[in-house]
Amino acid sequence: MSQKQYLKLLTADLISHFGDSLDAIAYSWIMYEITGSESLMAFIIGLNYIPTIILQPFTGALVDRVNKRVMMALTDLLRFLVVLLFVALYINGLLTPVLIAVLTMLTSTIEAFRMPAGNAITPLLLESSHYTLGKAASYSFSRVSQLLGYIVSGGLIALIGSAGVLVIDAVTFLASAVLILWIRVTEKNKTSEAKKVNLGRVFSDFKEGLSFLKGSKVVQMISVIGLVINFGLMPLTVFQTPYVSDYLNMGAGMLSYIKILMMVGMMVGAFVTPRLLKFKKGNLCVAAGIVMGISIVCMYITPGICLMIGKMLLLTLSMFFVGVGGGVLNVVIGGLMMAAVPRDKIGRMSGLNAAIMEASMPAGSFICSALALMLSVTQIFAMFGICTILFYLLIGGSRSADILNTNMEKVLCVESNP
């Protein structure tokens, strides 16, 4: 019975992930159309990250004290309304860069409540013996759903326009809310005293996590590597649309193609990493980072290639290997965290580490915004790509690589002796 309820949640998530992938293309296309500026677009995207980074450590505590199913349905309904408002303003010619920034931050604020609620309700819907299988199914199916959204988004934009695609996106949130309300789950009521204790523990755990971070060189390194990954990818995140439109002179279909390549690359990277760890160990992290840096630099070269077949070949390879590098690094970092952090601290350290790594995203966006006033988008790609390569070369030539290798051996021991 429990697993049947989880299937409803899984279906709702698949629908919303499909809508998110449609939104990623159509929303960015409209944003660039309205702003007409790479710098302003990068600045607005940077604002989008701030509410999540600030709120998520506290919304997690709130979610433990409220009905998670209702919270999830309410946030999906709010997303439905926000997207419809965005479309209405766009169709009537009332959408401005300021309104885009406000609605973007509002969406990010809503998501800061939705994500922890979704994580918290999962154990209530699954028996412990099915938890690993359920999480694996959620991860795999969500990637397939996103990939499908990227595949059809370009064609849909050509057929019904960006506004029409966003209407479909809004409907996916409404469908998700209805499915979530259909879930039957019993949540234990907590006394007011328990709620107070729980909130106090949040701050206590946060301080304990900071203390552990200060004393662990491995976790510090993981956080730094995560910062560099997110920071190095920010030009690709904020400038994809102007790059495709102004430098490649192509449409939304090419934007979909780039996202598909990156998604497939991430899936391939995650799939092959467990096999490569036996041979490359911790140095795989360094190699993957260098590959990502080289791939980003290739985006500087691509627009200057005269032959279309050569341009498409280099673009395809660079975007695919950006994804492969990201997939490898995600698996490696996850393994290092598992080896370096005690089991009873994994939750709080994962949350703290995620917040630290995500902190580079608004910073990277704002830096990209400032650089776009002086440099071309392709020059910014080259700059960030070279900095990424230099960072991983520095890691590879220092004692840091030895620390990575040593702790990766612990991961392999855990995997071979469960």
Side-chain angles (χ1 to χ4, degrees):
M1 182 65 180
S2 178
Q3 278 63 251
K4 291 181 180 178
Q5 301 307 314
Y6 178 71
L7 288 176
K8 296 176 185 177
L9 175 64
L10 183 61
T11 303
D13 285 343
L14 292 179
I15 292 172
S16 62
H17 281 309
F18 177 78
D20 285 338
S21 58
L22 294 179
D23 178 280
I25 307 295
Y27 193 87
S28 63
W29 207 256
I30 290 177
M31 187 188 300
Y32 188 52
E33 176 188 333
I34 299 298
T35 62
S37 165
E38 296 98 338
S39 177
L40 185 55
M41 187 172 180
F43 183 77
I44 292 174
I45 292 175
L47 292 176
N48 178 59
Y49 296 113
I50 293 177
T52 301
I53 294 171
I54 294 175
L55 292 175
Q56 223 168 357
F58 305 99
T59 56
L62 175 63
V63 162
D64 281 337
R65 303 164 64 213
V66 300
N67 188 299
K68 301 164 189 60
R69 181 176 64 93
V70 173
M71 174 68 78
M72 294 170 66
L74 178 61
T75 52
D76 280 345
L77 286 173
L78 288 173
R79 284 291 305 273
F80 165 72
L81 294 174
V82 170
V83 174
L84 285 186
L85 176 59
F86 184 93
V87 172
L89 290 170
Y90 175 67
I91 291 176
N92 290 284
L94 301 174
L95 195 61
T96 65
V98 172
L99 286 175
I100 291 176
V102 170
L103 293 176
T104 297
M105 294 188 70
L106 178 59
T107 297
S108 182
T109 301
I110 294 170
E111 289 175 346
F113 290 84
R114 174 62 163 83
M115 287 185 285
N119 291 331
I121 200 174
T122 298
L124 303 179
L125 301 177
L126 282 174
E127 297 172 5
S128 58
S129 59
H130 293 84
Y131 185 69
T132 300
L133 179 61
K135 294 297 289 184
S138 175
Y139 179 85
S140 300
F141 291 153
S142 65
R143 292 295 180 271
V144 172
S145 179
Q146 287 179 304
L147 186 60
L148 178 61
Y150 291 145
I151 291 172
V152 304
S153 58
L156 283 175
I157 289 175
L159 185 65
I160 61 177
S162 296
V165 171
L166 287 182
V167 171
I168 296 175
D169 177 39
V171 172
T172 64
F173 289 116
L174 181 60
S176 175
V178 172
L179 278 170
I180 289 170
L181 288 174
W182 190 29
I183 293 173
R184 295 293 174 260
V185 58
T186 301
E187 298 187 34
K188 295 180 180 179
N189 293 323
K190 299 181 179 180
T191 64
S192 59
E193 182 64 27
K195 292 174 184 177
K196 291 178 182 178
V197 171
N198 183 58
L199 188 59
R201 284 177 178 172
V202 171
F203 292 99
S204 175
D205 288 348
F206 181 74
K207 292 179 181 178
E208 189 176 341
L210 284 177
S211 177
F212 185 86
L213 177 64
K214 291 178 182 178
S216 174
K217 292 183 179 180
V218 178
V219 178
Q220 291 172 14
M221 190 178 305
I222 291 171
S223 298
V224 171
I225 291 174
L227 279 167
V228 173
I229 294 171
N230 291 333
F231 187 81
L233 288 175
M234 284 320 296
L236 184 56
T237 301
V238 302
F239 293 138
Q240 267 188 31
T241 301
Y243 181 75
V244 167
S245 175
D246 298 343
Y247 292 85
L248 299 180
N249 297 313
M250 296 180 183
M254 178 53 64
L255 196 58
S256 297
Y257 180 66
I258 287 176
K259 290 187 177 294
I260 291 169
L261 288 170
M262 292 177 64
M263 177 66 69
V264 172
M266 287 187 69
M267 295 169 69
V268 171
F271 178 76
V272 302
T273 300
R275 294 156 180 79
L276 295 176
L277 284 176
K278 298 177 181 178
F279 305 100
K280 301 296 183 180
K281 301 179 182 178
N283 291 332
L284 182 60
C285 181
V286 175
I290 293 173
V291 167
M292 290 182 70
I294 293 173
S295 299
I296 294 171
V297 171
C298 285
M299 297 187 70
Y300 168 78
I301 302 170
T302 301
I305 298 177
C306 297
L307 292 176
M308 179 57 68
I309 187 172
K311 181 180 297 186
M312 287 302 299
L313 178 61
L314 184 57
L315 181 67
T316 299
L317 290 174
S318 60
M319 292 298 93
F320 175 75
F321 279 106
V322 163
V324 170
V328 171
L329 285 168
N330 283 335
V331 174
V332 172
I333 286 177
L336 285 169
M337 279 290 290
M338 185 173 64
V341 180
R343 288 181 180 272
D344 63 335
K345 293 184 174 64
I346 283 286
R348 72 198 72 168
M349 289 309 303
S350 296
L352 179 61
N353 192 54
I356 293 172
M357 291 191 295
E358 289 177 7
S360 67
M361 299 170 79
S365 295
F366 296 147
I367 291 172
C368 285
S369 175
L371 289 175
L373 298 174
M374 302 174 286
L375 304 173
S376 68
V377 168
T378 52
Q379 289 172 333
I380 296 173
F381 278 132
M383 179 184 298
F384 273 69
I386 290 170
C387 288
T388 299
I389 294 169
L390 292 175
F391 170 80
Y392 283 101
L393 286 174
L394 180 63
I395 290 289
S398 68
R399 184 174 174 273
S400 302
D402 295 332
I403 296 175
L404 292 174
N405 285 327
T406 300
N407 283 272
M408 189 55 67
E409 290 290 347
K410 296 180 183 179
V411 176
L412 294 176
C413 289
V414 171
E415 292 178 347
S416 60
N417 299 287

